[in-house]
Amino acid sequence: QQRFRRFFAPSPARRLALTLAFVVVALLAAFSLPTVRAAAGEFLGLFRVQTFTAVSISPEQIALLQLLANEGVSPGQVNITQEPDGPTSVDSLAAAAAAVGFRPRTVTSLGQPTAVHTMSGGRGNFVINLAGTRAILQATGADPLLLPDSLDGARIDLTTFASVEQQWANGVWLIQSASPEVEYPAEIGDPTLLAEAFLRALGLEAADARRLAREIDWTSTLLLPLPADAVSFREIQVDSSSGLALQNLDGTASALVWQRNGVLYLLQGAMPPAELAALAASLN
């Protein structure tokens, strides 16, 4: 369970860096909104996370990507320009609301939380190294020429917002925050081709990568690459929304992640996903 929690709740700076790493995979394949395509010049498109999809990464693929990283092959540079402050303990949900600027929902069936923490938002960016990115794609069997030359040096900016974490005596905890915003360069290629390339880099077979790249709306979907030897996942209806249920392989802990009305939620506990979903149904 400790390993599972570390996977979902790293330090604030690392949490932001991991989020950036996740969104890079999706956002390199999502470089145009219709309104941006209609504009000329150097514009930025706005991406806001509305839904999630996940792919399993095999231990072998993770080892290959780690080997490339150890050899100095990198897709680019993650820069944290504003680290989140916190977590800061507060004595009530009312105090948390005053600190973050929104009213946090709570799991009413569990009663009052035993601990409440707030965290400020943060900012960061990812600057693409095209040569390194193409080398990774080639090493993992994808076509590096799917990536246009204009990607080199492109910067993806991420802004996360203030969050509230609640904990209960039974080990359940809930994090909620406004959906992060990502600004990315537009007019740099066919998003489905870029998506296909990066899904191949994550280890998907060519046919599966091509199908998934065409099924996903890359202007609103956050891709979560998950290690196959640690976490299983499935889609689930939770809190009147579509989300993902994640569970460690020994079944001792699970988590739900979903978005509703512009707010992201992460609910975790030492119980099956169905029981977590029942708790989420009492959110108020």
Side-chain angles (χ1 to χ4, degrees):
Q1 182 175 352
Q2 290 180 348
R3 179 188 178 191
F4 192 69
R5 173 155 184 154
R6 285 197 301 271
F7 180 78
F8 287 104
S11 67
R14 180 163 171 76
R15 183 181 301 169
L16 183 59
L18 283 173
T19 304
L20 276 165
F22 289 154
V23 299
V24 162
V25 178
L27 293 176
L28 286 178
F31 286 113
S32 58
L33 289 170
T35 54
V36 175
R37 286 200 302 266
E42 297 295 329
F43 287 93
L44 291 176
L46 180 63
F47 171 101
R48 190 146 194 171
V49 177
Q50 296 178 12
T51 188
F52 303 88
T53 193
V55 294
S56 288
I57 309 178
S58 70
E60 295 77 16
Q61 197 75 5
I62 292 175
L64 174 58
L65 294 173
Q66 186 62 58
L67 177 62
L68 292 170
N70 292 341
E71 293 176 349
V73 182
S74 170
Q77 177 66 44
V78 173
N79 304 298
I80 306 301
T81 57
Q82 178 184 329
E83 293 191 8
D85 291 329
T88 301
S89 178
V90 294
D91 58 10
S92 67
L93 289 176
V100 301
F102 67 89
R103 185 186 76 84
R105 299 168 73 198
T106 190
V107 183
T108 56
S109 61
L110 292 179
Q112 291 297 314
T114 56
V116 181
H117 297 85
T118 62
M119 184 179 295
S120 70
R123 295 179 183 271
N125 61 66
F126 183 86
V127 179
I128 299 168
N129 179 325
L130 183 60
T133 303
R134 283 176 168 169
I136 292 171
L137 294 178
Q138 185 170 16
T140 54
D143 182 1
L145 297 182
L146 288 175
L147 301 179
D149 292 342
S150 55
L151 270 178
D152 196 31
R155 193 180 81 179
I156 300 168
D157 292 293
L158 172 69
T159 301
T160 62
F161 298 98
S163 62
V164 176
E165 177 180 322
Q166 302 171 59
Q167 301 176 5
W168 286 267
N170 65 350
V172 170
W173 56 281
L174 170 69
I175 293 178
Q176 53 195 297
S177 172
S179 181
E181 291 182 351
V182 181
E183 291 183 319
Y184 55 90
E187 299 296 330
I188 48 179
D190 182 347
T192 59
L193 292 178
L194 295 172
E196 182 180 340
F198 279 89
L199 290 167
R200 289 292 310 280
L202 293 177
L204 273 71
E205 296 294 333
D208 292 334
R210 188 174 303 112
R211 174 186 54 78
L212 190 57
R214 284 155 177 75
E215 289 178 353
I216 292 174
D217 178 3
W218 296 103
T219 64
S220 62
T221 303
L222 177 61
L223 179 69
L224 301 178
L226 301 174
D229 63 344
V231 184
S232 64
F233 65 90
R234 63 182 175 88
E235 293 185 1
I236 189 172
Q237 285 295 311
V238 55
D239 191 26
S240 301
S241 302
S242 177
L244 286 178
L246 313 168
Q247 189 170 32
N248 61 357
L249 296 188
D250 64 10
T252 58
S254 61
L256 305 179
V257 57
W258 74 98
Q259 187 271 157
R260 182 183 179 189
N261 297 331
V263 178
L264 297 186
Y265 297 88
L266 174 63
L267 181 66
Q268 182 179 321
M271 60 186 67
E275 293 184 23
L276 282 181
L279 293 180
S282 75
L283 278 171
N284 185 24

XYZ file of all heavy atoms in Angstrom, residues 75-113:
272
model
N 13.837 13.406 -24.283
C 12.920 14.114 -25.179
C 12.878 15.609 -24.934
O 12.290 16.349 -25.713
C 11.564 13.481 -24.851
C 11.694 13.084 -23.417
C 13.115 12.635 -23.255
N 13.498 16.063 -23.852
C 13.484 17.487 -23.563
C 13.726 17.760 -22.100
O 14.157 16.883 -21.348
N 13.449 18.991 -21.695
C 13.768 19.446 -20.348
C 12.507 19.864 -19.610
O 11.725 20.680 -20.101
C 14.726 20.642 -20.412
C 15.074 21.250 -19.075
C 15.886 20.311 -18.199
O 16.820 19.672 -18.678
N 15.529 20.211 -16.931
N 12.296 19.286 -18.430
C 11.209 19.715 -17.551
C 11.729 20.820 -16.646
O 12.764 20.665 -15.986
C 10.680 18.549 -16.704
C 9.667 19.048 -15.677
C 10.040 17.491 -17.588
N 11.035 21.941 -16.617
C 11.415 23.075 -15.775
C 10.256 23.424 -14.858
O 9.143 23.682 -15.327
C 11.757 24.294 -16.640
C 12.843 24.005 -17.655
O 13.966 23.678 -17.303
N 12.505 24.110 -18.936
N 10.499 23.411 -13.553
C 9.499 23.832 -12.576
C 9.756 25.306 -12.279
O 10.769 25.660 -11.685
C 9.583 23.006 -11.280
C 9.509 21.515 -11.589
C 8.469 23.425 -10.324
C 8.259 21.084 -12.300
N 8.870 26.182 -12.719
C 9.071 27.615 -12.542
C 8.395 28.150 -11.290
O 8.754 29.218 -10.804
C 8.538 28.381 -13.775
O 7.161 28.064 -13.971
C 9.324 27.979 -15.020
N 7.424 27.434 -10.785
C 6.767 27.816 -9.537
C 6.353 26.547 -8.807
O 5.399 25.881 -9.184
C 5.538 28.698 -9.794
C 4.786 29.083 -8.524
C 3.516 29.865 -8.825
O 3.448 30.587 -9.807
N 2.500 29.709 -7.978
N 7.091 26.210 -7.773
C 6.771 25.004 -7.024
C 5.550 25.247 -6.142
O 5.402 26.320 -5.551
C 7.959 24.572 -6.162
C 9.157 24.098 -6.954
C 10.197 23.432 -6.074
O 9.896 23.222 -4.880
O 11.287 23.143 -6.582
N 4.675 24.258 -6.045
C 3.511 24.417 -5.150
C 3.952 24.550 -3.697
O 4.914 23.912 -3.271
C 2.721 23.121 -5.368
C 3.236 22.562 -6.652
C 4.661 22.984 -6.751
N 3.265 25.398 -2.945
C 3.510 25.527 -1.512
C 2.607 24.564 -0.764
O 1.447 24.385 -1.101
C 3.224 26.957 -1.044
C 4.224 27.961 -1.584
O 5.390 27.574 -1.794
O 3.831 29.124 -1.809
N 3.150 23.955 0.271
C 2.353 23.049 1.077
C 2.905 21.640 1.023
O 4.000 21.424 0.510
N 2.159 20.666 1.517
C 0.801 20.827 2.053
C 0.771 21.552 3.395
O 1.679 21.398 4.206
C 0.320 19.388 2.194
C 1.564 18.581 2.342
C 2.618 19.267 1.537
N -0.283 22.327 3.605
C -0.475 23.096 4.825
C -1.712 22.565 5.550
O -2.792 22.480 4.964
C -0.673 24.588 4.503
O 0.475 25.074 3.811
C -0.889 25.384 5.776
N -1.539 22.205 6.802
C -2.655 21.684 7.584
C -3.595 22.818 7.971
O -3.155 23.897 8.393
C -2.132 20.992 8.842
O -3.192 20.513 9.644
N -4.894 22.583 7.810
C -5.910 23.539 8.257
C -6.891 22.790 9.160
O -6.979 21.562 9.118
C -6.647 24.187 7.067
C -5.699 25.061 6.256
C -7.286 23.139 6.174
N -7.650 23.548 9.960
C -8.469 22.884 10.979
C -9.885 22.585 10.547
O -10.656 21.989 11.318
C -8.480 23.705 12.268
C -9.006 25.131 12.070
O -9.545 25.427 10.978
O -8.867 25.947 12.999
N -10.274 22.977 9.328
C -11.636 22.712 8.894
C -11.737 22.865 7.388
O -10.865 23.466 6.739
C -12.617 23.677 9.570
O -12.396 25.001 9.103
N -12.830 22.339 6.816
C -13.077 22.523 5.389
C -13.379 23.981 5.077
O -13.077 24.464 3.980
C -14.231 21.632 4.940
C -13.930 20.131 4.895
C -15.190 19.349 4.530
C -12.813 19.832 3.902
N -13.971 24.697 6.028
C -14.219 26.122 5.823
C -12.905 26.881 5.680
O -12.775 27.772 4.821
C -15.046 26.683 6.980
N -11.917 26.529 6.499
C -10.609 27.169 6.399
C -9.929 26.799 5.084
O -9.257 27.631 4.466
C -9.739 26.764 7.588
N -10.112 25.541 4.645
C -9.548 25.123 3.371
C -10.165 25.912 2.226
O -9.464 26.368 1.307
C -9.773 23.630 3.159
N -11.483 26.106 2.280
C -12.172 26.864 1.233
C -11.653 28.292 1.170
O -11.453 28.852 0.081
C -13.675 26.849 1.480
N -11.416 28.891 2.318
C -10.898 30.257 2.353
C -9.494 30.331 1.757
O -9.134 31.324 1.113
C -10.900 30.780 3.788
N -8.708 29.257 1.929
C -7.330 29.260 1.442
C -7.240 29.029 -0.057
O -6.377 29.606 -0.726
C -6.523 28.187 2.185
N -8.120 28.195 -0.609
C -7.988 27.808 -2.017
C -8.971 28.515 -2.942
O -8.823 28.469 -4.162
C -8.138 26.283 -2.188
C -7.088 25.550 -1.382
C -9.540 25.808 -1.803
N -9.998 29.141 -2.382
C -10.924 29.895 -3.215
C -12.063 29.106 -3.815
O -12.749 29.596 -4.709
N -12.279 27.879 -3.359
C -13.452 27.121 -3.784
C -13.928 26.239 -2.629
O -13.154 25.957 -1.699
C -13.164 26.272 -5.030
C -12.176 25.141 -4.820
C -12.595 23.882 -4.403
C -10.817 25.331 -5.068
C -11.703 22.845 -4.223
C -9.911 24.296 -4.894
C -10.345 23.051 -4.467
N -15.196 25.815 -2.697
C -15.728 24.973 -1.631
C -15.430 23.523 -1.938
O -15.969 22.963 -2.903
C -17.241 25.159 -1.492
C -17.844 24.394 -0.302
C -19.361 24.490 -0.287
N -19.973 23.638 -1.286
C -20.238 22.336 -1.118
N -19.903 21.716 0.014
N -20.819 21.638 -2.080
N -14.577 22.866 -1.150
C -14.282 21.459 -1.416
C -15.463 20.570 -1.049
O -16.143 20.798 -0.044
C -13.072 21.176 -0.519
C -13.173 22.170 0.591
C -13.799 23.396 -0.010
N -15.715 19.579 -1.876
C -16.708 18.564 -1.543
C -16.076 17.547 -0.596
O -14.850 17.402 -0.552
C -17.194 17.877 -2.813
C -17.852 18.828 -3.800
C -18.042 18.165 -5.145
N -19.124 17.182 -5.108
C -19.283 16.221 -6.030
N -18.421 16.101 -7.033
N -20.287 15.371 -5.952
N -16.915 16.854 0.158
C -16.398 15.878 1.103
C -17.229 14.598 1.025
O -18.368 14.604 0.549
C -16.406 16.445 2.536
O -15.688 15.560 3.414
C -17.825 16.640 3.050
N -16.648 13.496 1.497
C -17.325 12.194 1.496
C -18.206 12.152 2.733
O -17.742 11.796 3.830
C -16.316 11.033 1.471
C -17.053 9.697 1.401
C -15.355 11.171 0.303
N -19.469 12.504 2.575
C -20.342 12.655 3.739
C -20.570 11.347 4.484
O -20.775 11.349 5.702
C -21.698 13.244 3.311
O -22.272 12.396 2.300
C -21.521 14.642 2.750
N -20.507 10.214 3.777
C -20.742 8.931 4.441
C -19.628 8.560 5.410
O -19.805 7.673 6.251
C -20.913 7.825 3.403
O -19.749 7.694 2.609
N -18.485 9.221 5.318
C -17.373 8.952 6.234
C -17.326 9.918 7.407
O -16.485 9.769 8.295
C -16.040 9.013 5.474
C -15.781 7.920 4.445
C -14.422 8.140 3.767
C -15.847 6.531 5.074
N -18.213 10.903 7.418
C -18.180 11.879 8.496
C -17.076 12.897 8.293
O -16.526 13.055 7.196
N -16.716 13.590 9.355
C -15.694 14.626 9.274
C -14.310 14.015 9.026
O -13.955 13.002 9.636
C -15.661 15.443 10.569
C -16.883 16.308 10.790
C -17.020 17.369 9.708
O -16.055 18.048 9.352
N -18.224 17.503 9.168
N -13.525 14.601 8.130
C -12.154 14.093 7.918
C -11.298 14.313 9.156
O -11.513 15.252 9.930
C -11.652 14.924 6.734
C -12.479 16.171 6.753
C -13.827 15.761 7.264
